[in-house]
Amino acid sequence: MNNVDDTRFLHNGCQVHVSDSSICCFFPQPKLVLSTSQYNGGFIVADGVFNHRLTMFVETERDLPGGSQAGYLEQVAGSLGFEADRATGLLTTARMSSMALSREQCGHLIVEAVTTAGVEVNAARAGEPASYYEEEDRYHPVGGTINTIVFVNARMNRGAMAKALVTVTEAKTAALQELNILSKGGFYPATGTGTDGAIIVTELIAPSLSDAGTHSKLGEMIANAVSQSVKQSLRLECEMTSHTQGSLERRIRDLRFDSEIEDELLGQLASLTKQQRDLLMIRLISVKNILLEHSWGLVPPSCLATAVKIFKDDERLPFRNVLARLLTARVKSAVDDEATEVAEAAYSRIVSGDKKNS
């Protein structure tokens, strides 16, 4: 969508203006805000918040106008009409037309979530190797971000607002898991991107709430609003839906075969019957989960050897030899990495089976 120009009003009276470059939320009266931004991050009494799209390419943060993210966002805030110390904002490369708005209500309590999302470049799993090392306030920005602004029409103490950030993060991760979005660093489930941001907006004068964890009703509402808005935004920005992410083609790509094998498998899908496609889908899901749980130490190498045998013996299974070779390689890797007696025995079983069948 080009030339975006749209204005919406939230239940709490906030005016949300959407353009090609920014989503601006103007408050009818000051609100207490908790932000993860480098610009006025932390707690702040604000007149508004924003989410801005970065369209230029920069090598490092210092190449941004203003010399840093904080400096750049302060310039953006000024151009949007905010006072420098009365606003906070997030930065993304996602299109503003991918904005999704979701609302949850229970009695008089209302939670609204505004999200833009992009994961195709830098979907990541917490704990994976880093993309950069920050030194002297310099680092290399990476594209792709999930930014969420959550509005609660209640007063919350600061501990509850901090807990709300935890709930927002958990809900975002759950949404990515339900869409089968994997880290770009491997075939592990993504927990977010390396540049995600969140803002919590609450009232200064209103009935007070003290808990936003997932056991509380407020936490449930925040989680549902965030999850829905993340999914909606990913559909708009990346065309990611449960249908596309759950397809047989996607399952094959998720196993990260080398390109030659992947192209061969994808090229033969059209010749499969419905029953063969269903069987292959079930096996691909099984292979992925077996490999994941083995990498986490939950499945012993001997189970990989058993899975190899099952795939080899199932003559109904398309590509059974390819899947068996993949698991065989993983068992061999387990032997090399772990050098356990169980892994040695598992690999020996596969080798001996191959010799008998050759």
Side-chain angles (χ1 to χ4, degrees):
M1 184 185 301
N2 296 320
N3 301 320
V4 181
D5 187 6
D6 185 23
T7 299
R8 306 184 192 185
F9 290 90
L10 304 184
H11 184 273
N12 62 5
C14 292
Q15 177 182 330
V16 180
H17 179 68
V18 186
S19 67
D20 288 328
S21 61
S22 298
I23 297 170
C24 304
C25 304
F26 299 95
F27 305 159
Q29 63 276 331
K31 299 184 185 296
L32 180 61
V33 171
L34 175 58
S35 170
T36 64
S37 176
Q38 294 190 37
Y39 165 58
N40 289 337
F43 291 98
I44 178 178
V45 175
D47 298 320
V49 297
F50 62 92
N51 185 17
H52 178 72
R53 185 187 185 197
L54 181 67
T55 57
M56 69 187 78
F57 175 80
V58 293
E59 287 288 344
T60 69
E61 184 184 23
R62 287 186 175 180
D63 295 328
L64 287 168
S68 66
Q69 277 200 43
Y72 176 64
L73 287 171
E74 183 175 350
Q75 289 186 7
V76 172
S79 70
L80 295 173
F82 293 115
E83 294 184 20
D85 61 347
R86 300 283 294 183
T88 183
L90 303 173
L91 198 60
T92 183
T93 58
R95 295 170 301 159
M96 297 296 98
S97 59
S98 73
M99 185 197 83
L101 171 62
S102 181
R103 175 182 298 173
E104 290 286 312
Q105 182 169 1
C106 180
H108 296 293
L109 182 61
I110 297 176
V111 173
E112 293 170 292
V114 175
T115 296
T116 59
V119 297
E120 291 181 307
V121 176
N122 69 332
R125 182 173 181 81
E128 287 184 333
S131 300
Y132 67 86
Y133 175 76
E134 185 173 1
E135 186 174 11
E136 297 180 353
D137 299 325
R138 291 186 299 175
Y139 64 92
H140 294 267
V142 182
T145 298
I146 301 174
N147 283 344
T148 299
I149 305 173
V150 175
F151 299 85
V152 180
N153 70 334
R155 182 163 54 93
M156 297 169 63
N157 63 46
R158 295 191 175 201
M161 293 177 70
K163 191 63 173 288
L165 283 180
V166 176
T167 300
V168 168
T169 303
E170 291 180 356
K172 172 196 65 180
T173 299
L176 297 183
Q177 183 181 37
E178 290 168 12
L179 283 175
N180 191 35
I181 294 174
L182 304 185
S183 163
K184 297 305 177 184
F187 65 95
Y188 296 98
T191 56
T193 80
T195 53
D196 295 345
I199 294 175
I200 308 295
V201 180
T202 66
E203 303 294 337
L204 286 171
I205 302 175
S208 180
L209 297 174
S210 61
D211 186 18
T214 51
H215 287 309
S216 68
K217 187 63 180 180
L218 174 57
E220 173 195 327
M221 295 168 66
I222 291 173
N224 286 335
V226 170
S227 177
Q228 292 169 23
S229 65
V230 167
K231 290 179 180 179
Q232 290 170 16
S233 184
L234 287 173
R235 176 178 59 81
L236 294 170
E237 176 70 14
C238 308
E239 298 184 351
M240 290 179 171
T241 66
S242 56
H243 175 73
T244 61
Q245 293 300 106
S247 68
L248 192 52
E249 291 78 5
R250 180 76 262 166
R251 304 285 184 181
I252 290 175
R253 292 190 175 97
D254 284 349
L255 284 174
R256 309 290 167 90
F257 294 105
D258 65 54
S259 58
E260 184 176 341
I261 293 178
E262 181 178 291
D263 291 343
E264 178 184 350
L265 297 181
L266 292 173
Q268 295 181 29
L269 288 183
S271 64
L272 300 182
T273 66
K274 175 65 165 57
Q275 183 180 17
Q276 287 176 320
R277 291 177 67 91
D278 288 346
L279 181 59
L280 180 58
M281 173 79 82
I282 292 169
R283 291 304 197 204
L284 289 173
I285 294 171
S286 299
V287 168
K288 177 185 171 185
N289 283 294
I290 289 170
L291 294 177
L292 278 175
E293 295 205 10
H294 171 259
S295 70
W296 295 331
L298 300 174
V299 170
S302 58
C303 287
L304 296 185
T306 300
V308 170
K309 187 175 187 307
I310 291 173
F311 293 151
K312 282 187 173 181
D313 291 347
D314 190 350
E315 296 183 355
R316 302 169 301 163
L317 177 64
F319 317 134
R320 66 181 188 275
N321 289 330
V322 173
L323 297 178
R325 287 201 304 272
L326 174 65
L327 285 179
T328 300
R330 294 304 174 109
V331 175
K332 182 62 168 63
S333 174
V335 173
D336 294 340
D337 295 342
E338 301 170 17
T340 63
E341 293 183 1
V342 174
E344 290 279 12
Y347 183 56
S348 296
R349 285 168 54 192
I350 297 172
V351 172
S352 62
D354 286 340
K355 290 180 177 178
K356 291 178 181 179
N357 295 327
S358 60

